[in-house]
Amino acid sequence: MNNQFDITLLARKNVRELTPYQSARRLGGNGTVWLNANEYPIAPEFSFNAKNLNRYPECQPVDVITRYATYAGVKPEHVLVSRGADEAIELLIRAFCEPGKDAVIYCPPTYGMYSVSAETFGIEQRVIPTLSDWSPDIKAMASQLDNVKLIYLCSPNNPTGNIINPELIRKVLEMTAGKAIVAVDEAYIEFCPQASIVSWLKNYPNLVILRTLSKAFALAGLRCGFTLANPPVIELLLKVIAPYPLSTPVADIAAQALTEKGIEVMNQRVAEISRNRNALSDALKKLPNVEQVYRSETNYILVKFTDASRVFRTLWEQGIILRDQQRQYGLNGCLRISIGTTEECDSVINAIRNIQTVNI
Ligand SMILES: *Cc1c(COP(=O)(O)O)cnc(C)c1O
């Protein structure tokens, strides 16, 4: 028996080399004020009605699909439900990208899972940084489309908070027609519903839209996301999805969240969070160590500090957990702050203001 054998040598090379997604939960912290994962700060109430747990669930629970279709303004054939939008990011790679042959494009600074999913499956990543206003570099993209099967665009973008000009998305859709899927991640679209391009599905067979219940619907712990696309794309994704991607309790609660009442409550949350966001932005702009508060259409703001590491560390030690974005492309000096309750926003402002006072 050789107990010295290194089992990791059996793993695929790209998996040995993979750095897993540094999710907010993995990063830890000992917080009382959690503002690092763009969650809603208060737990919604739900009752659990479905009791027949002896049976396997439906793959695509009908109530969830039809209610989401109504909410999104599409037909049920245009909707796929999955274990969060994260699973959908991966399903697209599994359905469309051949390892060693095809490539994906994404445009940093942006959401980290596009890269992690591509890496997990050994798919080439063509990284095309955004321009200085965080809009996609269409020219650079056009020159690097060979073998590209999938382009991820995030609008509004995480972590910068900006919406991508829809006419730029249209350009990407047109230059990739018949060649690549353009996946527009609308995880935060409830905070700026007018920016959705869901109505374009009828014109662009290569358009895919990603949605989630994790943000405005306050259900990050439920793990429930949606893909909106034309039926041929949905059918391909149904070939590669797990047979039972949602457990019965998840489907039950998702269906409740998507009733008319559930959507009304969601809209109230969005209004409240948007008010808190604007107040927090205004207050931060008055602090001397704040260089810039970027305009946001979401439930978080990106803030550039003169002393970001110190702000991050000082608040961390006080149990206020923010998200450090300094290692993201072009985001030196930047922290991302999720919008919490009014009290939580106040505690952020006070804690940052106190750093100043100590300075003097
Ligand atoms: C949070 C987030 C997701 C993941 O959503 P889940 O449904 O929780 O998996 C996807 N994309 C972006 C841009 C996000 O911020």
Side-chain angles (χ1 to χ4, degrees):
M1 287 262 279
N2 180 0
N3 292 326
Q4 302 306 308
F5 181 71
D6 179 4
I7 201 83
T8 61
L9 293 172
L10 294 180
R12 288 160 56 204
K13 182 165 172 290
N14 58 312
V15 173
R16 282 201 304 268
E17 291 164 1
L18 184 73
T19 314
Y21 182 69
Q22 295 298 303
S23 70
R25 283 288 165 278
R26 262 186 183 164
L27 289 170
N30 204 346
T32 48
V33 179
W34 290 96
L35 303 177
N36 65 343
N38 299 344
E39 297 152 334
Y40 185 70
I42 300 160
E45 293 283 334
F46 289 99
S47 57
F48 178 45
N49 303 320
K51 297 273 160 40
N52 53 336
L53 292 179
N54 58 317
R55 301 294 177 193
Y56 282 109
E58 293 172 273
C59 176
Q60 295 289 294
V62 172
D63 278 356
V64 178
I65 293 289
T66 54
R67 286 178 196 176
Y68 199 84
T70 304
Y71 161 67
V74 298
K75 297 206 191 90
E77 312 85 90
H78 293 102
V79 182
L80 178 96
V81 63
S82 59
R83 179 178 27 77
D86 281 349
E87 184 180 27
I89 289 169
E90 188 184 295
L91 292 175
L92 287 167
I93 290 184
R94 283 163 53 184
F96 290 98
C97 298
E98 199 94 61
K101 183 163 166 263
D102 298 330
V104 305
I105 284 179
Y106 62 90
C107 308
T110 194
Y111 186 53
M113 283 306 291
Y114 314 137
S115 166
V116 170
S117 290
E119 210 167 327
T120 307
F121 287 91
I123 305 298
E124 184 198 338
Q125 301 172 49
R126 235 161 270 164
V127 180
I128 304 190
T130 55
L131 300 171
S132 59
D133 64 350
W134 291 322
S135 62
D137 187 342
I138 304 293
K139 258 198 200 148
M141 217 182 261
S143 70
Q144 296 188 56
L145 287 178
D146 285 354
N147 303 323
V148 167
K149 279 288 191 63
L150 182 55
I151 299 176
Y152 293 106
L153 296 174
C154 189
S155 182
N157 187 42
N158 180 2
T160 53
N162 64 293
I163 292 169
I164 299 176
N165 179 343
E167 287 316 309
L168 296 177
I169 300 180
R170 195 189 295 283
K171 281 193 180 147
V172 178
L173 283 163
E174 285 173 357
M175 74 192 190
T176 56
K179 286 189 261 179
I181 297 290
V182 179
V184 178
D185 188 339
E186 293 189 344
Y188 299 93
I189 203 66
E190 285 80 10
F191 296 94
C192 48
Q194 75 293 344
S196 177
I197 57 166
V198 70
S199 67
W200 295 11
L201 282 172
K202 57 182 176 303
N203 302 323
Y204 296 104
N206 59 333
L207 172 61
V208 168
I209 293 173
L210 304 178
R211 298 281 191 87
T212 180
L213 297 188
S214 297
K215 308 292 164 46
F217 283 91
L219 290 170
L222 192 63
R223 310 307 303 129
C224 186
F226 295 88
T227 304
L228 308 177
N230 282 291
V233 173
I234 299 294
E235 279 157 28
L236 285 166
L237 298 177
L238 282 169
K239 287 188 175 187
V240 297
I241 199 168
Y244 313 109
L246 304 193
S247 70
T248 300
V250 169
D252 183 356
I253 292 169
Q256 294 175 50
L258 291 166
T259 56
E260 255 176 59
K261 174 76 188 146
I263 290 164
E264 190 185 311
V265 173
M266 179 277 288
N267 282 322
Q268 287 163 7
R269 261 185 231 120
V270 166
E272 170 215 27
I273 290 291
S274 302
R275 273 195 307 275
N276 287 357
R277 178 192 67 216
N278 295 342
L280 180 66
S281 301
D282 290 345
L284 284 167
K285 282 175 190 163
K286 294 184 185 127
L287 300 181
N289 62 336
V290 171
E291 267 181 43
Q292 195 161 354
V293 180
Y294 296 96
R295 184 191 161 89
S296 169
E297 309 283 345
T298 65
N299 66 343
Y300 53 87
I301 50 177
L302 187 74
V303 185
K304 188 168 189 176
F305 292 92
T306 55
D307 53 351
S309 299
R310 187 157 80 128
V311 171
F312 181 79
R313 209 174 345 103
T314 310
L315 270 63
W316 173 284
E317 282 158 9
Q318 294 172 28
I320 303 173
I321 313 298
L322 312 181
R323 185 83 172 194
D324 194 341
Q325 295 291 344
Q326 298 195 85
R327 276 197 232 140
Q328 276 254 35
Y329 173 89
L331 297 190
N332 206 9
C334 292
L335 306 179
R336 191 192 68 193
I337 309 175
S338 305
I339 308 302
T341 61
T342 313
E343 294 72 29
E344 289 172 329
C345 291
D346 288 346
S347 72
V348 168
I349 290 294
N350 290 332
I352 299 175
R353 198 179 282 132
N354 284 337
I355 303 178
Q356 307 300 314
T357 324
V358 173
N359 237 350
I360 300 166

